[in-house]
Amino acid sequence: MTKSIDKNRSDSSKEFSFNARDFDRVRDLIYKRAGISLADSKQEMVYSRLARRLRATGIHSFSEYLDSLENQEIDSEWEAFTNALTTNLTSFFREEHHFPILAEHVAGKKESVSIWCSASSTGEEPYSIAMTLCEAFGTLRPPAHIIATDIDTNVLETASRGVYNLDRIEKLSAERTRKFFLKGKGAQEGLVRVRPELRDLITFKQLNLLEESWPLSGEFDAIFCRNVMIYFDKPTQSKILKKFVPLMKPDGLLFAGHSENFLYVSDDFKLRGKTVYELAKSLASGTRTASRHLQKGNP
C-alpha cells in the first residue's frame, strides 16, 4: 500500500511555513530563471537560504514570498532570490592541471589573447587565469584580456574588489604570493589584495547563461565553464554548449569541471585531455561561420 504525500503539510517547528508545494514552486522558478535543477535533497538548503529573504523583506510565509516574486511586486528581489540559491565554491588554482594547459596554449601567440570565465564566483578563478597569463608571457601586463561573468551580483562585487582573507592564498607558492598579492597592514592585517595589474586584465560583468543573447563580442582563445553544467539538465547543457561554438577561435579550448562530461550532450566538441575540450574538426575548419549566422538569425 503506497502512502500519498501531502504537499500542503509543513514542519511546524520551523520559523516559516514551508511545505513540498512551496519547494516545488521554488524549483520551478529557479529553473526558469537560471536553469538550475534542484534535487529533492535540497529542500532544507532552500529553506535555510530563502528564510533569510523572508526576514529581510518582512514577509511571513513562503507562499506569500513566492507570490510576490511571480507578481514582480519587488523587482530587485528576483536578483536576491537568484543570488540566495546560487552555490559558489571556488579557490585559487582549483583543478590545477588546467592552468599549465592554458599556459601552453597561449604561449607564442602573436595577437592579443581573449578568455571568458563564465562562472567567476568570488574571483579566484579569473585571477588564477590572470596569474597564468602573466607567467606565460613573463610580464604583469600580458597582451590579454579576461571577461569574467556570473549570475550572482554579490559574488561579482567581491571578485571586483579582489580582497581576500590571508588563508585563501595559503596554498599558493611564496613566489606567487609575493608577485601577485599585496598584504594588508594595520586595520587591513590578515587580508590580501590582488595587484592592480591583475585587476586591470579583467572585466567583471553580470551574465545569465540562460539569456537568449549574451553581451559578448569577438572570439575567445579559451572558455572556462567549470562546475556550472552540473546544475543544469541535459537540454540546457546542450543549448549552452551550442552557443559557445561561434564564440570560440578555431583552436579555442573549453575547460570543464572534474565531474562534467560534455561528450554525452554535444557533438560540437571533442575531448582533448582531462576535462579539456576543443571544437570538433568540422566546426573548427569552417562550418562555424554558418553556425554564427544561424545564431544571429541570418539566412
Side-chain angles (χ1 to χ4, degrees), residues 31-185:
Y31 179 80
K32 290 177 179 176
R33 185 77 175 184
I36 296 173
S37 297
L38 291 173
D40 293 340
S41 60
K42 299 297 184 181
Q43 187 161 334
E44 287 302 315
M45 181 272 284
V46 166
Y47 175 85
S48 175
R49 294 187 181 185
L50 290 185
R52 300 170 195 162
R53 297 310 312 154
L54 268 68
R55 298 186 195 103
T57 57
I59 296 175
H60 300 294
S61 74
F62 270 83
S63 60
E64 183 183 350
Y65 175 73
L66 298 173
D67 286 344
S68 72
L69 279 179
E70 291 182 318
N71 296 328
Q72 296 184 329
E73 294 173 4
I74 313 174
D75 290 340
S76 62
E77 190 56 30
W78 269 114
E79 183 175 298
F81 171 79
T82 304
N83 289 351
L85 295 178
T86 304
T87 299
N88 295 287
L89 176 64
T90 187
S91 62
F92 287 102
F93 290 94
R94 185 183 183 191
E95 302 187 43
E96 194 168 5
H97 64 280
H98 283 160
F99 297 96
I101 296 172
L102 174 64
E104 181 182 0
H105 181 59
V106 301
K109 284 188 176 286
K110 296 180 180 178
E111 56 185 22
S112 181
V113 170
S114 182
I115 295 174
W116 177 22
C117 174
S118 66
S120 67
S121 187
T122 46
E124 287 90 334
E125 182 170 288
Y127 287 124
S128 297
I129 295 170
M131 285 184 262
T132 300
L133 296 176
C134 289
E135 291 170 346
F137 286 96
T139 174
L140 285 174
R141 297 190 181 278
H145 185 244
I146 301 162
I147 301 291
T149 66
D150 202 283
I151 192 174
D152 188 332
T153 53
N154 290 332
V155 296
L156 282 173
E157 185 177 344
T158 298
S160 184
R161 287 197 305 267
V163 176
Y164 302 93
N165 290 326
L166 189 59
D167 60 4
R168 297 296 290 169
I169 65 167
E170 62 183 8
K171 293 183 179 180
L172 299 185
S173 68
E175 181 181 359
R176 277 179 171 162
T177 299
R178 175 189 58 77
K179 188 174 183 179
F180 297 117
F181 294 89
L182 301 172
K183 289 188 177 182
K185 297 179 180 179

Side-chain angles (χ1 to χ4, degrees), residues 4-30:
S4 61
I5 299 175
D6 184 358
K7 291 201 169 190
N8 294 307
R9 183 177 180 181
S10 60
D11 187 344
S12 59
S13 66
K14 285 182 163 50
E15 179 182 358
F16 302 103
S17 173
F18 184 64
N19 55 42
R21 190 179 300 280
D22 295 327
F23 180 57
D24 286 344
R25 288 182 70 188
V26 171
R27 289 207 290 191
D28 183 57
L29 289 172
I30 196 62

Side-chain angles (χ1 to χ4, degrees), residues 116 207-216 240 243-244 247:
W116 177 22
L207 185 145
N208 183 346
L209 288 172
L210 283 196
E211 292 174 355
E212 286 303 314
S213 61
W214 295 333
L216 302 170
I240 291 171
K243 291 175 69 176
F244 281 158
L247 292 174

